[in-house]
Amino acid sequence: MADVNPVLLDEQLCFSIYSASKKFNHFYQSALAPFGLTYPQYIAMLVLWEKAPLTVHQLGERLELDSGTLTPLLKRLEKQGWVTRVRSQTDERQVLIHLTEMATTKRDEVYSRIGQCQTLLGMSSEEIDSMMTELVTVKQQLDTVSNDRLITKEVDRVN
Amino acid sequence: MADVNPVLLDEQLCFSIYSASKKFNHFYQSALAPFGLTYPQYIAMLVLWEKAPLTVHQLGERLELDSGTLTPLLKRLEKQGWVTRVRSQTDERQVLIHLTEMATTKRDEVYSRIGQCQTLLGMSSEEIDSMMTELVTVKQQLDTVSNDRLITKEVDRVN
DNA sequence: GACAATTTAATTGTATACAATACATTGGAA
DNA sequence: TTCCAATGTATTGTATACAATTAAATTGTC
């Protein structure tokens, strides 16, 4: 353990991203307060507004969330009148998430609100594209290294 | 509500960041499994390894977390032997977080492990610097727009 | 020097995340 | 046809996050 470099918080990309993620969530959650949507609820609605109905599994694939997170989240969305949860007729294991009339009605109001937020942020599409491209690269790397279930052994081997 | 643009999940920078953040947390949490540290616990240790003792408040400023999150997190770190929580003599309102001997001993092992993870990710310092610079800009914008408590009114005014 | 305003942690309540488990259903193999 | 592995959802348990409240200690002001 002779040649070890210190790990400084301010130099960690992970923390920069972690911190930005929390700020974004807070930003949109505030902006959507009039609709009573939390950030995860909002992105779930985004997916459903693109295409509904979807099964819990399909929704989870888009959001990268599992049923342990989605089941209670969707129950809250149902209680607040955004969606209905219906057991599939053709496959009783599946639960189909449908939009309510209220959700369809409010869609454009939410879209509009988000559009205004994006304007406020004042980022050019070039800036946004550039960041998203870089993020895709990082995420691919993280997936590759993580899905490689050898991560523990790989790291140990470097020792 | 005539001229509303659809909001597509895959075009949202916030989701890209949110998703990357979760992947990073999972990546480091796996890598640190031998130490039993979660990601938030790990970044708390990073700060304390830079400078300890710190009050809960000082730690929270660095991590952008409040006592509602930190108090239970620090109790878990204490239970696992990484830190001690000591009521300040000079100001009884404050709780000082000290490193244990074990934490000091294990510091370089953790630093080394993280260094290996960074190597596995294979990003150049230029790539990392570029992303972090862009993230700083986004975060500043989010802070500016959020701290501006007029956000709701501003947005409404656009209507 | 009393005391209201402020500061600091802790607590409470709600909402994610996610691993692990349980459970029902389904589709296919024997 | 019967059984079994796979699939899809729900549940359980642990650990964040964070707003709001409480409680204790300190400070500024007269």
Side-chain angles (χ1 to χ4, degrees), chain B residues 26-58:
Chain B
H26 183 266
F27 174 62
Y28 280 122
Q29 201 142 323
S30 300
L32 295 173
F35 299 98
L37 290 172
T38 66
Y39 180 77
Q41 289 168 8
Y42 153 66
I43 57 174
M45 290 306 297
L46 279 192
V47 172
L48 291 166
W49 275 320
E50 287 180 26
K51 179 163 158 38
L54 288 177
T55 66
V56 173
H57 183 75
Q58 289 170 325

Side-chain angles (χ1 to χ4, degrees), chain A residues 28-75:
Chain A
Y28 280 121
Q29 202 142 323
S30 299
L32 295 173
F35 300 98
L37 291 172
T38 65
Y39 180 76
Q41 289 168 8
Y42 154 64
I43 56 174
M45 290 305 298
L46 280 192
V47 172
L48 292 167
W49 275 320
E50 287 181 26
K51 178 163 157 44
L54 289 177
T55 67
V56 173
H57 183 76
Q58 291 170 325
L59 189 55
E61 281 195 328
R62 289 294 310 275
L63 298 174
E64 299 173 65
L65 293 171
D66 69 9
S67 71
T69 301
L70 284 178
T71 295
L73 185 154
L74 291 168
K75 284 182 178 173

Side-chain angles (χ1 to χ4, degrees), chain A residues 117-129:
Chain A
C117 288
Q118 289 165 345
T119 304
L120 277 183
L121 279 186
M123 293 183 69
S124 69
S125 13
E126 288 74 26
E127 285 175 294
I128 293 177
D129 285 349

